[in-house]
């Protein structure tokens, strides 16, 4: 062969091998692939665009309809008109969004339609339970439906894009935003990230986005926002890369695999680098490792805030950091609009970087069908017909009932009998609508909320329902106690509805004390002195320290914030028409000093031993939480027996197949969330004591038994080793199955 031909062939082979290698490194999930036809259309459009027009696509401004952060930039209408704004958030209703769309489509040179985004976090008009509450249901079908309903309503109001799901793992109940996510656990968090993404988008991938009933999901806040030091919002996070990859990142990757079309960067810094300027997170991991193909938006003015983080001195500096990190769209900060063009001219940012960012935004606009039909979602009749429908409200009721967790039920005081003569309903949340929507309830309308008082009145036509407020949620005023006690004395049972204001959780709502606010605990103690059975119903957006509530309460029902159908859901549970089945998606500490306290902790070299001084413990409180992850009671009882493994020596590619017999040993039908945990006993790095790897909701008639089987891929039992490689190391493991993380049956197995 001619030397030249040989060398050319060699070069071709080398290129092919490099390509194969690159593809193997970035295995783009099918759900993230862009089809050739869309790419062609985007290319044609990009070829016509000026640099300024491309930059315009990277700019997102809030309308004045609703505002969810500081307004640093007014006059968004002028920017739309000038082609300097590609997307708008906080603009609601089919009519209003139509007006804005008209400006973009009729008055700008290239007629590129706008995307409309909004925080549809737990329902749009039909408000569902807060996400943390939904997670307590462990019901992936109901949770997916909740997201579908939200998407249906939101898309009928002109919206294309929700800033959800929030998939931040949160292990610190002081942090108010724990309410918005799925709690502390990686497996549950990843499962629900997938389910919610699919619920919003209609399927795994972008193919349904052009329908008029879906919205693009946005996995947020990328990344590690939930690990804010001391639980103070926006605060620093700093952790090993192992922990980042093993705990905080998996729910985000699950969202990518489920086809999430967008990502939002977080406010915090991660190991010293603000997430919004973090190239490692946004480009190396998200795009190159995981194959994310959608676009990345910042959080609200988080580019600007990098000046306060102290990583650049001026707008140009932070703008360059963000765009070069791989961020595509600037939420509300005005930095991209103000600085990108000159950064390109100065050579600090490549024009290609801008083009690629614009490509990603435009690709989503094509996927949404916006160029074919920019007004596809702007039909006010459809908006009305699809909003707050009986079906949507029924889904919200179902979700609310399944989200409730029964924490305590002494002497089986619950369910209460519907034939009680007199019931006293007491507490600042008993007759309240406003708070029950919970944090980030977006377009939810408090007037549509069924209060607890209304729900109980409906449930108990022949019972005398007495009511006294007792106190406010968060004041020192106890002047209402006397009336509350008088009311309680006249009743056969007392139901006390206590908790937090909705604004005490969510963004910028951290608390250093996590007891019941104000004098509510004192109110409960006064009520307890009457000797009547006291059923405490909690409404709150975070785990609370209930140590002082416990002795005053005969029963405790965790009611979180349940949304529109709160009163009905609680009445069903309290009076036995629905048997509670929720389990805690997050540990409840005995006091705030134990925080962070979570299930999947590592062991220490000196595990707690109360009889030995030099072990890992507190002098004044036990190590265990008050209520463990996965805990929750039912009106029936369940027994577990006969845990079995199909094989107890497994290869790397095998499935761990476990089964257990579950028996309903009580007197009524009930649903149990069966949980499977594992532990890797010896590894090259210390491994958590217990990790959730599977769960199943099982409904059983009284007396019935069923064999519950699990299949867990051995590949899911791994971790990132010191070389940051994901490995499943051979050795002995434990499998644990039960109805709560602290009540399990255990068997060993070996991985070869
Ligand atoms: C929040 C985001 C939210 C955004 C837009 C920010 O303050 O952190 O979660 O999506 O505002 O409302």
């Amino acid at each position: 062969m001619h030397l030249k031909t040989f060398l050319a062939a060699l070069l071709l082979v080398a290129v092919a091998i490099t390509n194969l290698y690159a593809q193997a490194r970035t295995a783009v999930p099918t759900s993230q692939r862009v089809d050739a036809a869309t790419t062609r259309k985007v290319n044609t459009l990009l070829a016509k665009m000026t640099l300024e027009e491309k930059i315009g696509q990277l700019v997102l401004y809030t309308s004045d309809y609703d505002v969810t952060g500081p307004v640093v930039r007014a006059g968004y209408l002028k920017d739309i008109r000038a082609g300097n704004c590609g997307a708008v958030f906080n603009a609601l209703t089919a009519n209003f969004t139509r007006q804005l769309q008209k400006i973009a489509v009729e008055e700008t040179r290239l007629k590129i339609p706008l995307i409309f985004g909004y925080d549809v976090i737990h329902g749009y008009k039909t408000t569902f339970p807060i996400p943390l509450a939904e997670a307590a249901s462990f019901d992936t079908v109901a949770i997916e439906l909740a997201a579908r309903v939200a998407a249906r309503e939101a898309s009928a109001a002109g919206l294309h894009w929700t800033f959800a799901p929030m998939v931040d793992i949160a292990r610190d109940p002081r942090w108010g935003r724990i309410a918005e996510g799925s709690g502390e656990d990686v497996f549950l968090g990843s499962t629900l990230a997938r389910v919610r993404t699919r619920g919003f988008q209609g399927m795994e991938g972008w193919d349904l986005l052009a329908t008029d009933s879906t919205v693009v999901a946005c996995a947020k806040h990328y990344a590690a926002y939930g690990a804010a030091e001391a639980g103070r919002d926006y605060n620093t996070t700093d952790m090993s890369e192992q922990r980042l990859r093993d705990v905080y990142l998996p729910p985000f990757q699950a969202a990518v695999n489920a086809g999430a079309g967008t990502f939002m960067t977080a406010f915090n810094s991660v190991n010293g680098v603000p997430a919004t300027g973090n190239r490692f997170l946004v480009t190396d991991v998200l795009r190159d490792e995981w194959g994310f193909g959608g676009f990345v938006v910042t959080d609200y003015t988080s580019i600007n805030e990098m000046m306060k983080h102290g990583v650049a001195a001026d707008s140009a500096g932070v703008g360059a950091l963000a765009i070069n990190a791989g961020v595509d769209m600037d939420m509300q900060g005005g930095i991209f609009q103000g600085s990108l063009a000159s950064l390109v001219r100065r050579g600090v940012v490549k024009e290609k970087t801008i083009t690629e960012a614009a490509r990603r935004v435009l690709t989503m606009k094509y996927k949404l069908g916006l160029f074919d039909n920019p007004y596809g979602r702007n039909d006010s009749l459809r908006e009305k017909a699809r909003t707050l429908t009986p079906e949507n409200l029924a889904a919200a009721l179902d979700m609310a009932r399944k989200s409730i967790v029964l924490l305590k039920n002494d002497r089986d005081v619950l369910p209460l009998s519907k034939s009680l003569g007199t019931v006293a309903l007491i507490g600042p949340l008993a007759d309240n609508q406003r708070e029950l929507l919970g944090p980030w309830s977006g377009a939810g309308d408090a007037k549509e909320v069924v209060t607890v008082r209304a729900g109980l009145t409906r449930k108990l036509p022949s019972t005398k329902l007495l009511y006294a407020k007792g106190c406010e949620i968060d004041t020192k005023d106890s002047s209402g106690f006397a009336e509350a006690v008088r009311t309680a004395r006249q009743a056969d049972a007392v139901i006390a509805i206590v908790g937090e204001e909705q604004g005490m959780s969510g963004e910028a709502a951290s608390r250093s004390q996590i007891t019941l606010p104000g004098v509510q605990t004192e109110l409960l103690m006064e009520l307890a002195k009457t000797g009547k059975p006291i059923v405490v119903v909690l409404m709150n957006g975070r785990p609370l320290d209930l140590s002082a509530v416990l002795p005053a309460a005969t029963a405790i029902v965790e009611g979180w914030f349940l949304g529109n159908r709160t009163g009905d859901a609680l009445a069903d549970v309290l009076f036995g028409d629905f048997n509670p089945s929720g389990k805690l998606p997050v540990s409840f500490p005995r006091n705030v000093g134990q925080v962070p306290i979570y299930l999947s902790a590592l062991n220490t070299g000196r595990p707690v031993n109360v009889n030995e001084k030099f072990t890992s413990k507190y002098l004044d409180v036990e190590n265990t939480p008050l209520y463990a992850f996965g805990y929750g009671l039912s009106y029936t009882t369940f027994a577990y027996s006969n845990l079995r493994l199909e094989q107890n020596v497994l290869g790397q590619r095998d499935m761990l197949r476990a089964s257990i017999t579950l028996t309903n040993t009580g007197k009524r039908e009930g649903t149990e969330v069966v949980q499977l945990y594992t532990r890797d006993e010896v590894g090259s790095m210390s491994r958590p004591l217990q990790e959730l790897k599977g769960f199943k909701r099982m409904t059983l008639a009284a007396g019935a038994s069923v064999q519950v089987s699990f299949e867990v891929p051995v590949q899911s039992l791994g971790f990132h080793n010191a070389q940051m490689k994901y490995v499943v190391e051979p050795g002995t493991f434990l499998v644990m199955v039960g109805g709560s993380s602290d009540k399990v049956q255990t068997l060993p197995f070996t991985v070869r």
Side-chain angles (χ1 to χ4, degrees), residues 339-410:
S339 67
L340 285 187
S342 75
L343 284 166
V344 171
R345 275 180 227 117
R346 281 166 43 210
V348 183
V349 172
K350 295 199 187 85
E351 175 152 9
K352 183 156 189 320
T353 307
I354 310 284
T355 307
E356 287 313 300
R359 169 195 304 288
R360 292 190 276 256
V361 173
L362 293 171
T363 298
M364 204 48 72
K365 291 189 175 183
Y366 275 104
K367 283 289 163 200
L368 281 161
L370 283 172
F371 290 92
D372 292 334
N373 187 3
Y375 305 110
R377 293 157 196 239
N378 302 97
D379 175 343
S380 56
L381 288 180
R382 183 171 59 210
E383 177 178 13
K384 200 152 175 249
R386 274 210 206 147
T387 304
L388 287 166
T389 61
E391 301 79 57
N392 295 0
L393 289 165
L397 173 62
D398 178 61
M399 192 72 257
R401 296 197 290 207
K402 289 171 170 167
S403 302
I404 293 167
V405 185
L406 179 61
L407 296 176
K408 174 176 178 177
N409 194 14
D410 278 3

Side-chain angles (χ1 to χ4, degrees), residues 68 89 119 163 177 220-221 264 267 299 331 440 507:
T68 50
F89 68 121
D119 291 280
F163 301 138
R177 304 200 78 168
K220 72 183 189 187
H221 307 81
M264 185 187 294
F267 286 123
D299 205 344
M331 183 194 288
W440 281 113
E507 188 175 353

Side-chain angles (χ1 to χ4, degrees), residues 60 62 67-70 89-90 118-119 121 162-164 166 177 180 218 220-221 225 233-234 264-267 298-301 331 440 507:
L60 167 67
T62 181
V67 174
T68 50
F89 68 121
N90 294 335
Y118 193 56
D119 291 280
I121 308 294
T162 175
F163 301 138
M166 189 278 218
R177 304 200 78 168
E180 289 172 60
C218 181
K220 72 183 189 187
H221 307 81
Y225 186 33
D233 206 2
Y234 315 122
M264 185 187 294
T265 61
F267 286 123
T298 70
D299 205 344
Y300 203 112
T301 62
M331 183 194 288
W440 281 113
E507 188 175 353

Side-chain angles (χ1 to χ4, degrees), residues 300 379 435 472 705:
Y300 203 112
D379 175 343
E435 306 299 338
E472 299 298 332
S705 267

Side-chain angles (χ1 to χ4, degrees), residues 124-151:
Y124 181 66
K125 281 282 181 195
T126 301
T127 307
F128 283 75
I130 55 170
L132 184 64
E134 289 187 357
S137 73
F138 285 75
D139 188 329
T140 53
V141 178
I143 295 173
E144 183 165 344
L145 180 64
R148 286 291 302 124
V149 168

Side-chain angles (χ1 to χ4, degrees), residues 606-619:
R606 296 185 177 190
V608 56
N609 175 345
V610 281
N611 301 317
E612 274 189 47
K613 177 167 171 58
F614 296 103
T615 61
S616 179
K617 60 180 184 316
Y618 298 99
L619 295 176

